[in-house]
Amino acid sequence: MKYLNLSGKFILGSALTALVITLLSLYLVGEKFQEGLFWTFFKPVDIFIYNFIPIFLMVVFLAFFFGSLQVSILVNSIFWMLLSYINVLKIQYRQEFLFASDIKLVREALLMAKKYSLKLDPKLVVIFVVFGLAVFAWSLLFSRGRIPMNLEVRCLGSLISLFIFIYLASNFMMDPVRFQDLGVNSGLNTWQGLNNYASKGFAYPLVYSFKDSRGYIYDDYNEKEALETDKAYQDADIPAGQKVNFMCIMLESYKDFYKFQNPRMVFRENPYAYWYQLKNESISGNLYVDTFGGGTLVTEKMFWSGYKHSPNYTTDRKTHVSYFKDQGYRAEAFHPSDGLFNNRKNLYPKVGFDNFFYEQNYFSKAVREGILPDCEFFPELMRIFKDRASQDQPYFSWSITYQGHGPYPTEPLEPGQEIVTKQDGYDENQYWAFNHYLRGVKDTTENLKYLVDNLRDQEPTILILFGDHCPSMGDQAIGMSMMGIPCDLSSLEGSVNTYETPYMVWANPAAKELFAGKNLVGQGPNLDANLLMDYVFKTLGWRGDKYTAFSQDYMDRQSVMKDNFFFENGQWTLKLSDQGEKIRKNVLNYEYYLSRQKRNK
């Protein structure tokens, strides 16, 4: 009888603990994302159940593992509430949901968090204090309520709860059709990534995101069709005498806000003046990236791989970089900050780079310690470029800048230093943060002139410049709304505005002479980031490897391909035509086939 009483106490304690944690985690998502969202988690009740299950099973698992329900209650409460709070912050400042893959970036997250002035919500503080006290008091009820279990029973209980979770997750919670169908009553546009996850609560979408941590999987993959497509393409060499040098630079948070001028955003000067001037001798256009306020690595991978969905680079893969290597180029990468961020130190050798120069292994000694602004980074980058370009080997240089990275200061600038005129109704901190950001943009833009001027008398060289994503514009992108820029992600206009960054392809005089028959000045097309290098190859008359050639063949018909908006046949649309959908499926299928192939050095 005593054992039965303890068993009942164990089950009741586990269930009530999981119930409270589930409700609070759902409340935090609902409260911070959209008013009234919390109540939609019970319509249908499946959403609540799918959020409850992983929390309940984790409580049970750890209770058996530690042999103590009290310890399990404390550990689970801390674990789930900490993740819930991090998720709230990530939504507010990065417009992204917390994914399982983010756990691998704990070091980067802690370092970056120190740079943000996070506002403590008094309401949240009260909630967490009350919750913490309640959990502690609740756990005391089980301090002496251990079920007598030997090691074998504990191991068996842990394994059973783990296997139940694996079964439910793989057969129900990981089902993409079920995941997409749930949350339609939330009132959110569930075809937009952040909304799609937020409409399902917290624990459920967090568990579902483990699908992404395994690497991209194309569920409709058809190898037979991929092989048929593959037969139509061959790798092609760069034509003789045309192996020009490349300098490619991804500019941190570089976005053209000047083009969005409206009565709510009046510029006192154009911080992009030199960029606009350089357009007159370049190809320029707009990229449409997949992230907002962060996610530099996503855009980066798309550019130098050519794939919309990058594979896991646990082994050597075929990329644009490896293609240049195979063509006899020397390929090097540069970043004037921490080389361990995003694991670039280990990533770059897998994609074809010969060397990677970063703060710890080069710039701290060659220039100075600390993160370098563009005025110090660009001269050293150019010095190395001239040295490499003078050698008897074509050169491919890839750089990611740091200047422009948030968070941005909120202190007022000196009088007359404002770039955007202050207006009534502006959030004070966001106004000054935006002006500090624009001062940085102006400095970056002016420093680009140094690069261009130094490249003018070099051997044939192509300079490719583009922004990685829009800067973080405050809680829920308040800055864009405040400045009168439509940014509602449920609308076509808002999505296009949010994910747009500029690009430029500039050829120096020697390169223009070499490609005299090519048009290297003018308006470029709207492009996904993974198509930029393919477009450059097409403009130069190169076919490249088989995937580059394949991409060139479809980009005129479909050059932007997102989950919820597209650029098809010269028009923006929320829905593809039947032919466009056929192209999209073929692209995803062939991409999946090629991206998983290993590269032989």
Side-chain angles (χ1 to χ4, degrees):
M1 182 62 70
K2 180 180 179 182
Y3 181 84
L4 291 176
N5 289 336
L6 288 174
S7 298
K9 192 175 182 180
F10 176 87
I11 295 172
L12 179 63
S14 299
L16 287 179
T17 299
L19 176 64
V20 173
I21 294 175
T22 301
L23 290 174
L24 187 51
S25 66
L26 293 177
Y27 173 78
L28 290 176
V29 174
E31 173 72 12
K32 289 297 177 180
F33 196 81
Q34 177 175 288
E35 185 178 355
L37 181 61
F38 172 77
W39 301 106
T40 68
F41 296 143
F42 305 92
K43 303 174 185 178
V45 74
D46 304 47
I47 297 177
F48 168 76
I49 293 173
Y50 285 162
N51 278 274
F52 175 81
I53 286 173
I55 297 175
F56 173 71
L57 290 176
M58 186 169 172
V59 172
V60 173
F61 172 80
L62 291 182
F64 279 112
F65 182 83
F66 291 115
S68 168
L69 181 56
Q70 180 188 25
V71 173
S72 179
I73 290 173
L74 293 173
V75 170
N76 273 280
S77 298
I78 294 171
F79 175 80
W80 288 108
M81 286 304 99
L82 179 61
L83 290 186
S84 295
Y85 181 62
I86 293 173
N87 184 52
V88 167
L89 295 179
K90 195 160 185 260
I91 289 174
Q92 287 180 341
Y93 292 96
R94 296 291 291 271
Q95 307 294 291
E96 292 177 335
F97 203 86
L98 181 68
F99 298 118
S101 57
D102 293 331
I103 297 173
K104 297 183 292 186
L105 303 175
V106 171
R107 176 180 176 274
E108 290 93 328
L110 291 175
L111 289 174
M112 293 308 300
K114 295 177 181 178
K115 301 181 180 182
Y116 283 86
S117 299
L118 303 179
K119 297 178 181 179
L120 284 178
D121 185 336
K123 188 176 180 180
L124 281 184
V125 172
V126 172
I127 289 174
F128 281 122
V129 169
V130 172
F131 175 75
L133 293 174
V135 164
F136 180 73
W138 173 247
S139 69
L140 292 178
L141 296 177
F142 303 93
S143 59
R144 297 183 180 181
R146 296 192 179 194
I147 300 176
M149 294 182 287
N150 55 36
L151 184 60
E152 290 79 8
V153 172
R154 287 171 54 191
C155 289
L156 182 62
S158 296
L159 288 174
I160 289 175
S161 57
L162 180 61
F163 286 145
I164 290 174
F165 170 74
I166 292 174
Y167 173 79
L168 293 175
S170 58
N171 289 278
F172 297 95
M173 302 178 73
M174 296 287 194
D175 181 355
V177 176
R178 178 178 281 104
F179 187 80
Q180 186 61 46
D181 288 344
L182 291 174
V184 293
N185 295 324
S186 64
L188 302 174
N189 177 9
T190 55
W191 290 103
Q192 192 275 324
L194 175 59
N195 289 349
N196 193 26
Y197 273 77
S199 67
K200 277 78 170 178
F202 175 63
Y204 173 33
L206 180 64
V207 170
Y208 183 84
S209 72
F210 273 95
K211 290 169 64 75
D212 298 326
S213 66
R214 297 179 300 170
Y216 172 68
I217 296 176
Y218 181 49
D219 293 327
D220 296 328
Y221 176 59
N222 186 315
E223 186 169 359
K224 182 179 179 181
E225 292 181 0
L227 290 171
E228 286 297 317
T229 302
D230 193 62
K231 290 178 183 178
Y233 295 93
Q234 298 293 328
D235 293 337
D237 292 330
I238 296 174
Q242 294 187 7
K243 291 184 178 179
V244 298
N245 297 317
F246 281 86
M247 177 180 278
C248 308
I249 305 177
M250 185 169 69
L251 304 169
E252 173 62 41
S253 300
Y254 197 88
K255 184 181 180 72
D256 182 4
F257 284 98
Y258 194 70
K259 65 177 289 186
F260 291 104
Q261 293 181 83
N262 66 82
R264 290 294 298 164
M265 183 171 60
V266 178
F267 281 78
R268 302 175 71 244
E269 62 175 300
N270 182 5
Y272 308 87
Y274 182 69
W275 181 276
Y276 276 54
Q277 178 184 332
L278 194 59
K279 283 183 177 184
N280 296 324
E281 49 183 300
S282 310
I283 296 173
S284 60
N286 293 315
L287 287 187
Y288 294 87
V289 299
D290 285 15
T291 62
F292 172 85
T296 295
L297 189 64
V298 175
T299 306
E300 172 183 354
K301 285 182 177 180
M302 292 176 74
F303 172 75
W304 49 241
S305 74
Y307 304 127
K308 284 186 63 63
H309 306 94
S310 292
N312 284 333
Y313 290 97
T314 53
T315 187
D316 296 330
R317 302 287 187 188
K318 295 181 179 180
T319 64
H320 290 313
V321 183
S322 69
Y323 174 79
F324 281 114
K325 280 288 295 174
D326 293 341
Q327 294 295 305
Y329 278 70
R330 180 173 186 167
E332 293 181 328
F334 303 84
H335 184 47
S337 184
D338 191 336
L340 303 181
F341 267 16
N342 291 307
N343 198 32
R344 288 190 178 97
K345 179 177 180 293
N346 298 311
L347 171 66
Y348 281 162
K350 299 290 195 301
V351 303
F353 286 108
D354 293 300
N355 296 302
F356 174 35
F357 299 86
Y358 52 96
E359 179 186 354
Q360 295 96 318
N361 78 340
Y362 182 77
F363 290 107
S364 62
K365 298 175 182 177
V367 183
R368 65 167 177 82
E369 292 186 353
I371 298 171
L372 301 183
D374 294 337
C375 64
E376 294 178 278
F377 178 46
F378 288 169
E380 186 61 20
L381 184 64
M382 181 54 63
R383 189 193 68 77
I384 297 174
F385 183 88
K386 287 182 176 181
D387 175 69
R388 301 292 194 260
S390 67
Q391 300 174 17
D392 190 23
Q393 184 181 16
Y395 186 52
F396 179 86
S397 171
W398 162 252
S399 301
I400 313 116
T401 66
Y402 187 88
Q403 181 170 316
H405 202 295
Y408 311 107
T410 56
E411 295 79 15
L413 289 162
E414 292 294 324
Q417 292 295 302
E418 308 95 325
I419 291 180
V420 169
T421 303
K422 191 174 184 180
Q423 298 188 33
D424 293 339
Y426 277 179
D427 177 87
E428 185 78 8
N429 286 339
Q430 189 57 45
Y431 169 72
W432 288 115
F434 187 52
N435 273 280
H436 277 284
Y437 162 77
L438 291 174
R439 298 292 321 173
V441 163
K442 180 181 180 181
D443 185 73
T444 291
T445 306
E446 291 173 348
N447 277 289
L448 290 175
K449 187 176 187 300
Y450 172 87
L451 293 177
V452 173
D453 287 348
N454 275 270
L455 288 173
R456 289 188 185 278
D457 61 355
Q458 291 293 302
E459 293 295 311
T461 300
I462 303 294
L463 173 66
I464 302 176
L465 306 167
F466 63 97
D468 60 350
H469 54 70
C470 178
S472 174
M473 298 295 287
D475 185 356
Q476 298 292 331
I478 185 177
M480 291 185 71
S481 299
M482 184 180 79
M483 297 292 174
I485 304 173
C487 58
D488 180 2
L489 296 180
S490 65
S491 70
L492 178 58
E493 182 184 21
S495 296
V496 170
N497 291 343
T498 299
Y499 295 108
E500 178 185 288
T501 69
Y503 72 82
M504 186 172 296
V505 180
W506 178 81
N508 73 348
K512 283 189 171 73
E513 182 179 349
L514 179 63
F515 296 100
K518 306 298 180 183
N519 186 4
L520 297 179
V521 177
Q523 179 64 42
N526 296 326
L527 293 170
D528 269 326
N530 60 292
L531 292 178
L532 180 53
M533 186 60 82
D534 300 323
Y535 171 69
V536 172
F537 272 43
K538 187 174 184 177
T539 302
L540 298 179
W542 300 354
R543 287 296 275 173
D545 62 22
K546 57 178 63 177
Y547 193 67
T548 298
F550 168 78
S551 298
Q552 291 173 7
D553 288 348
Y554 78 78
M555 68 168 60
D556 287 340
R557 291 169 289 171
Q558 194 174 146
S559 59
V560 177
M561 189 187 305
K562 304 303 180 190
D563 291 336
N564 62 323
F565 69 98
F566 312 86
F567 193 73
E568 181 185 12
N569 296 323
Q571 300 290 330
W572 287 110
T573 180
L574 291 170
K575 182 178 174 59
L576 289 170
S577 66
D578 291 342
Q579 182 62 28
E581 183 62 26
K582 185 177 179 180
I583 291 173
R584 186 188 72 85
K585 289 181 178 179
N586 190 37
V587 169
L588 296 178
N589 197 60
Y590 191 43
E591 171 196 69
Y592 190 64
Y593 167 74
L594 282 182
S595 65
R596 294 185 304 152
Q597 293 184 2
K598 294 182 180 180
R599 176 173 65 93
N600 297 320
K601 292 186 177 180

